[in-house]
Amino acid sequence: MFDFSVPSDTQLLVDTVRRFVTQEVQPLENETEALGDVPPEALKRVRGKAQELGLFAMNMPEDCGGGGLDNITMCLVEEEFGKTSDALIRRVFGQVYPMLLPCNAAQREKYLLPTVRGDKICAMAITEPGAGSDAASISTTARLEGDRWVLNGGKHFISDGDIADYVIVMALTDKEKRARGGITLFLVDKGTPGFTVNRVQPMMGHRGYGHAELSFDECSIPFDSVLGEVGGGFKLIMNSVAGIRLAHIGARAVGMASRVLEMMRTYASERKQFGQPIGDFQMVQQMIADSATEIFATRMMVLNTAWELDQGREPRDKVSMVKLYASEMIGRVADRGIQVFGGMGFCKDLPLERIYRDSRVTRLYDGTSEIHRMLIAKAVIKNGLVL
Ligand SMILES: Cc1cc2nc3c(=O)[nH]c(=O)nc-3n(C[C@H](O)[C@H](O)[C@H](O)COP(=O)(O)OP(=O)(O)OC[C@H]3O[C@@H](n4cnc5c(N)ncnc54)[C@H](O)[C@@H]3O)c2cc1C
């Protein structure tokens, strides 16, 4: 018999994360938005609190100090993280990429373990001005000179690139092979000669969180800076993105949209026009009903796909469907939220306009909507709809 109930220990964890988000993180939203930075003292305090509660790197295996959560539990936790600004969550926890798992023994000590503890910040540099959706068309190169690799090229839009202690850099090691064995990942430390953070690129949203332009100019790094295998970089990225897309885009979109819906619900009962609550008007009801239905649908998609991942399957097409639907769902819900609030929705006194701006990027990164539509269509045309 199917059992969709949440186990009590999972619920306890979700409740702890919910309290952490509402009591510790949400109160920093306005100041972060106004400053364009997380107030440093508050960030230190909140990071300390998160470490105390054991909320760091919950996605990573226990043997490297992580929380060892399965994908379903991780998605339930990420829903709660979605109820505050992505900028704050990213600044508090950093980004603990599962691509780090193939670290060798020395890399494990230097990069993986400190990142899992929250002592080092990591960034992932794939995208270049000339290579976005077509990541295999990168032009950053790595050539072997004696016992060192020499990197040349440029990356942009790199999240946390401004503050990262080290960057995972995707570079070409064989121009002919490219995605088929010619792309390698390298671990590059901040401060390495030839590695420059050129500038933080101003964005529509994500205030308080930097996306940077990086350059590598005859940047010489040790031979053992390779993450995984030489030529194995593209495959490593592709094999690691499913959990990230589900948790960071899918589950967070559910959390974000649930917060907007809750605001719509309260306002629709309290705000009166023409002598009655606006929630009595059918056109307002429609916005609430459509939002609730789409949030429910997204949540089911996220959890079902997370369950498949936990069974050791590779539900790539479903991950694409979740990423596509969740990112477009939050856009619609955020837009309706503003509509239900009228002028107040446009006003910076409320988080709605920030959510509207911040959520827009989810249709762009981790594969644009068009790329995921293309992948879904190809899979369906080839295999039919596999549910
Ligand atoms: C805020 C932010 C943070 C980011 N963080 C990171 C990061 O940390 N690390 C990193 O490496 N990258 C990062 N990125 C980059 C992100 O992954 C890319 O922006 C994304 O892959 C799209 O690439 P592009 O911007 O070059 O757009 P393009 O690939 O140039 O696409 C432009 C348009 O063409 C469409 N298009 C392209 N190819 C096709 C096709 N085959 N069929 C149909 N339509 C197509 C796209 O869907 C889009 O509408 C970030 C981007 C942003 C905005």
Side-chain angles (χ1 to χ4, degrees), residues 161-226:
D162 54 333
I163 57 161
D165 297 293
Y166 68 99
V167 182
I168 302 172
V169 181
M170 191 165 114
L172 276 179
T173 39
D174 186 329
K175 285 184 188 169
E176 301 304 315
K177 290 186 182 159
R178 291 197 171 262
R180 293 186 176 79
I183 286 177
T184 305
L185 299 180
F186 294 90
L187 294 156
V188 184
D189 291 318
K190 177 182 181 174
T192 304
F195 167 28
T196 315
V197 178
N198 297 334
R199 65 172 184 133
V200 173
Q201 297 172 278
M203 294 283 171
M204 171 180 177
H206 284 182
R207 277 180 66 74
Y209 164 30
H211 304 288
E213 209 177 69
L214 315 177
S215 65
F216 303 91
D217 181 11
E218 288 295 293
C219 175
S220 168
I221 54 174
F223 182 74
D224 66 358
S225 304
V226 172

Side-chain angles (χ1 to χ4, degrees), residues 90 97 123-135 155-161 168 203 205-206 209-211 361 363-372 374:
R90 290 284 291 244
Y97 293 104
M124 168 80 69
I126 300 170
T127 308
E128 301 179 356
S133 300
D134 184 9
K155 302 284 180 182
H156 75 168
F157 300 157
I158 307 308
S159 305
D160 292 323
I168 302 172
M203 294 283 171
H206 284 182
Y209 164 30
H211 304 288
V361 75
R363 285 160 58 190
L364 302 173
Y365 59 23
D366 271 314
T368 63
S369 289
E370 291 72 27
I371 293 298
H372 285 289
M374 185 179 76

Side-chain angles (χ1 to χ4, degrees), residues 291-303:
S291 300
T293 307
E294 290 177 26
I295 294 169
F296 175 54
T298 313
R299 191 168 200 251
M300 292 303 104
M301 290 171 81
V302 169
L303 295 180

Side-chain angles (χ1 to χ4, degrees), residues 12 67 118 206 284 299 321 360:
L12 211 63
H206 284 182
V284 172
R299 191 168 200 251
M321 290 186 214
R360 182 61 181 84

